[in-house]
């Protein structure tokens, strides 16, 4: 394997930087039980690529909110000045590509896709995936909340509705189990992987925020990344607003806009719930999501270089 020496040097650099930053230290239940024997060994096969190259996420016209969790350029900066590795974890809305975009997805050599949608959402808009990709459904909602939307008549109600949903994502047992499962699958499965929901903004946005937080990316950067949905999905949002306005009028369409895009207060509601309930992000990972030390370390080493 021609690039293995580079991969090992890169892995060693990552480990040194994480150790220097104290990022291997955990709090909560696992801190008392984690021993060095529980930590995984890593070879170059644990990373998306052992070569010193950057994987640039393509823009997909038919899957408009598809993007790399790591961001663009050289990747977001995380713990110890390390960068988030591109080409490892992708995020998306429903994966319903046209022929050209499906061919592009084939080139990414994906190993797994995790669908965070409800059974009803999946039945209404099933995925079309590249050949050979493992598909797994993960439940992160205790119930389908779509029926509650009909009662919303003002922008303030819409904002409060979504903020409440984000707080529930942090505290609800079904959501915590689902996101714990997602992170464990991402840690244990080799190769490039995608997770997604319907619009790629709420459930997927929280999954991406978790990964970037594990990588030590500052919250202000995570927030800016989260808000990119409003840019990536702008055309789709405006098209849907126009359809709603034609049926229910422009005033209701503007109320519904709060449900189609993202707002800083949504993600902030989740972070506030996390901080008030668990006290720290590390404690949330361990006590809230049930992750063990080995899984967290695997994710850090996959994410950072």
């Amino acid at each position: 394997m021609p690039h293995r020496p580079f991969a090992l040097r890169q892995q060693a650099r990552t480990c040194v930087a994480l150790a220097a930053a104290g990022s291997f230290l955990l709090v909560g239940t696992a801190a008392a039980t984690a021993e060095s024997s529980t930590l995984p060994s890593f070879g170059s096969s644990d990373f998306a690529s052992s070569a010193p190259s950057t994987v640039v996420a393509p823009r997909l016209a038919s899957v408009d909110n598809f993007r790399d969790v790591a961001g663009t350029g050289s990747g977001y900066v995380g713990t110890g000045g390390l960068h988030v590795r591109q080409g490892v974890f992708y995020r998306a809305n429903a994966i319903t590509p046209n022929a050209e975009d499906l061919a592009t997805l084939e080139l990414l050599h994906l190993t797994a896709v995790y669908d965070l949608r409800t059974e009803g959402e999946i039945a209404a808009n099933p995925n079309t995936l590249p050949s050979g990709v493992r598909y797994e459904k993960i439940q992160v909602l205790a119930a389908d909340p779509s029926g509650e939307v009909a009662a919303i008549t003002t922008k303030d109600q819409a904002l409060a509705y979504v903020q409440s949903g984000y707080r529930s994502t942090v505290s609800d047992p079904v959501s915590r189990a689902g996101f714990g499962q997602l992170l464990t699958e991402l840690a244990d499965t080799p190769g490039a992987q995608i997770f997604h929901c319907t619009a790629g903004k709420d459930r997927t946005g929280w999954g991406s925020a978790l990964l970037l937080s594990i990588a030590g990316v500052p919250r202000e950067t995570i927030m800016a990344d989260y808000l990119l949905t409003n840019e990536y999905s702008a055309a789709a949002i405006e098209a849907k607003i126009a359809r709603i306005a034609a049926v229910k009028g422009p005033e209701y369409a503007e109320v519904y806009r709060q449900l189609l895009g993202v707002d800083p207060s949504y993600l902030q509601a989740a972070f506030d719930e996390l901080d008030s309930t668990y006290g720290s992000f590390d404690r949330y990972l361990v006590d809230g999501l049930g992750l063990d030390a080995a899984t967290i370390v695997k994710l850090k080493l996959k994410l950072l270089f």
Side-chain angles (χ1 to χ4, degrees):
M1 186 177 294
H3 296 294
R4 184 171 177 81
F6 171 84
L8 293 176
R9 290 196 301 272
Q10 193 175 67
Q11 174 191 332
R13 175 176 174 269
T14 302
C15 290
V16 169
L18 290 172
S23 188
F24 279 140
L25 298 178
L26 300 171
V27 299
T29 306
T33 58
E35 299 178 359
S36 60
S37 60
T38 68
L39 300 180
S41 61
F42 293 88
S44 60
S45 62
D46 291 291
F47 302 106
S49 171
S50 59
S53 59
T54 298
V55 179
V56 179
R59 289 295 297 265
L60 303 179
S62 55
V63 189
D64 56 24
N65 211 6
F66 174 86
R67 43 197 166 109
D68 197 315
V69 169
T72 58
S74 58
Y76 295 127
V77 178
T79 300
L82 298 172
H83 287 259
V84 182
R85 190 189 309 272
Q86 294 174 321
V88 180
F89 300 133
Y90 296 100
R91 52 176 293 175
N93 49 326
I95 303 176
T96 55
N98 58 29
E100 181 180 356
D101 288 342
L102 181 59
T104 300
L105 287 172
E106 294 274 5
L107 297 177
L108 296 179
H109 305 293
L110 300 167
T111 59
V113 170
Y114 306 100
D115 194 335
L116 309 182
R117 298 178 294 171
T118 64
E119 293 290 347
E121 289 173 297
I122 294 170
N125 199 19
N127 284 339
T128 300
L129 301 177
S131 58
V133 176
R134 179 172 65 85
Y135 172 76
E136 184 169 348
K137 293 180 287 186
I138 298 178
Q139 182 181 4
V140 296
L141 292 179
D144 186 348
S146 58
E148 303 170 18
V149 173
I152 296 174
T153 58
T154 69
K155 287 185 179 181
D156 286 345
Q157 288 176 347
L159 286 167
Y161 169 78
V162 182
Q163 291 163 4
S164 176
Y166 272 71
R167 286 191 288 270
S168 293
T169 296
V170 174
S171 59
D172 180 77
V174 173
S175 292
R176 289 190 286 110
F179 281 104
Q181 179 184 349
L182 173 65
L183 293 178
T184 300
E185 293 284 357
L186 292 172
D188 291 343
T189 303
Q193 303 169 72
I194 302 179
F195 56 96
H196 77 95
C197 55
T198 292
K201 63 185 183 71
D202 299 321
R203 289 160 285 185
T204 299
W206 184 240
S208 183
L210 292 179
L211 288 170
L212 292 176
S213 296
I214 289 170
V217 175
R219 280 192 178 176
E220 56 267 28
T221 302
I222 296 173
M223 180 65 77
D225 176 81
Y226 168 77
L227 293 173
L228 286 175
T229 282
N230 291 336
E231 174 186 327
Y232 275 69
S233 299
I237 291 172
E238 292 307 318
K240 192 160 188 177
I241 288 293
R243 293 195 297 271
I244 294 171
V247 176
K248 295 192 172 184
E251 289 187 5
Y252 181 79
E254 287 306 311
V255 171
Y256 204 82
R257 184 186 293 277
Q258 313 306 315
L259 308 178
L260 297 179
V262 292
D263 185 88
S265 68
Y266 301 162
L267 185 59
Q268 190 59 52
F271 280 139
D272 289 347
E273 181 74 10
L274 185 157
D275 292 340
S276 64
T277 304
Y278 294 96
S280 72
F281 181 71
D282 284 346
R283 190 172 294 279
Y284 169 70
L285 291 180
V286 174
D287 296 341
L289 302 187
L291 300 186
D292 59 26
T295 298
I296 297 170
V297 172
K298 281 182 184 179
L299 287 169
K300 287 178 185 288
L301 291 178
K302 277 191 171 189
L303 284 162
L304 293 164
F305 76 103

